[in-house]
Amino acid sequence: MRLLICDMSPLISLGIEAAVATNPNFETQRSTAERILRGEHGTPPAFDVIVTERETAMRLVTQRARHAQRGALSLPRIFVIHQSTGEQDIRGALEAGIQGYASQALTLEEFQDGARMVALGMRYLCPRSAQRLADSMTREPLTSRETIVLRELAHGQCNKAIAQELGMALGTVKAHVKALMSKLDAKTRTQVVTAAITRGLVKLDGSDDILGGGDVRSLEAHRTRRPKLHLAA
């Protein structure tokens, strides 16, 4: 089974290589998204599974979708190993066409099982990711407007400031905050943000994912970017 380790940190790449070094059924090679997109590994690449982190995986599947009509970019199946197991991250990855998703805490046995399943065309979630996704299925999802209000709450904005920032009536903002408290089982605004971080609805790592949905995009034009904290994709 041929694994292409793509754009992973040197330490994690070494860990993956060491983890399968004694298993004759695996062989590994390192590469980058740029080399894959340039076709340096063939079209499709001569590998069974690309092992990468979430951002690179989303970039690869986005490029594949853009070239779908021309058939210009064919990729192996993708197995994501990522620090975050937030429900939105997992769901977004699977919906984008990524076949495997695991946290960096996965064991050697979980990694090997996941790589095999993905190579065979099956879906794979590590136990932690599967539990997080299963839990999310029992919860009422946030609307796009609630999601944007949650972003502002996470930045410490008061209701009046949120209303001004998003061009909403103050009463509308209060209604969204009340709905967030109900859906996130919180009694205070601080508990709302804490619950959102725990569930992976809000991140603190400073990257800049883009939310989908027409309502979200229309509201994005009214806010100033804040790089230190953002919502999960």
Side-chain angles (χ1 to χ4, degrees):
M1 188 175 302
R2 299 159 299 177
L3 306 180
L4 190 59
I5 305 170
C6 176
D7 287 343
M8 302 292 284
S9 72
L11 185 61
I12 293 178
S13 296
L14 285 170
I16 294 173
E17 291 169 345
V20 300
T22 59
N23 190 329
N25 296 318
F26 288 92
E27 63 179 64
T28 62
Q29 181 177 332
R30 298 191 206 182
S31 188
T32 65
E34 285 71 21
R35 293 182 62 192
I36 294 172
L37 294 173
R38 288 197 299 264
E40 293 185 17
H41 297 286
T43 51
F47 290 86
D48 300 301
V49 177
I50 294 174
V51 183
T52 188
E53 45 77 42
R54 184 180 182 278
E55 284 70 28
T56 297
M58 297 299 286
R59 178 186 174 192
L60 290 172
V61 297
T62 297
Q63 290 297 323
R64 178 173 60 190
R66 290 176 179 173
H67 292 82
Q69 292 183 343
R70 295 179 294 167
L73 180 61
S74 180
L75 297 173
R77 298 176 180 91
I78 298 176
F79 184 14
V80 165
I81 300 177
H82 197 65
Q83 181 178 2
S84 171
T85 55
E87 61 192 63
Q88 297 286 45
D89 283 339
I90 300 168
R91 189 186 300 276
L94 296 179
E95 290 175 349
I98 292 167
Q99 289 81 11
Y101 197 104
S103 75
Q104 292 179 359
L106 83 169
T107 66
L108 169 60
E109 291 76 18
E110 289 169 354
F111 173 76
Q112 292 184 351
D113 289 345
R116 290 191 193 97
M117 291 179 66
V118 171
L120 292 171
M122 295 182 283
R123 298 276 189 177
Y124 175 79
L125 292 175
C126 71
R128 286 158 294 281
S129 300
Q131 185 62 55
R132 181 61 62 86
L133 189 61
D135 289 343
S136 74
M137 300 297 290
T138 65
R139 298 168 176 147
E140 187 178 359
L142 304 185
T143 68
S144 57
R145 296 264 171 161
E146 290 165 356
T147 298
I148 287 294
V149 171
L150 175 60
R151 185 202 307 270
E152 301 302 323
L153 283 178
H155 283 102
Q157 296 279 62
C158 67
N159 288 350
K160 184 176 180 180
I162 294 173
Q164 293 174 344
E165 181 78 14
L166 302 180
M168 292 181 179
L170 182 58
T172 301
V173 173
K174 290 180 179 180
H176 287 319
V177 172
K178 183 177 180 180
L180 286 168
M181 289 181 176
S182 175
K183 290 183 178 181
L184 297 178
D185 193 23
K187 296 181 179 179
T188 67
R189 298 161 69 93
T190 299
Q191 289 179 359
V192 166
V193 176
T194 300
I197 293 173
T198 300
R199 286 176 51 181
L201 302 175
V202 170
K203 295 182 183 178
L204 300 173
D205 60 10
S207 57
D208 192 21
D209 291 341
I210 299 175
L211 293 166
D215 286 343
V216 174
R217 288 174 182 163
S218 66
L219 287 170
E220 285 287 277
H222 294 287
R223 77 174 186 88
T224 302
R225 289 188 180 275
R226 300 181 179 89
K228 293 300 181 181
L229 181 137
H230 67 95
L231 293 173

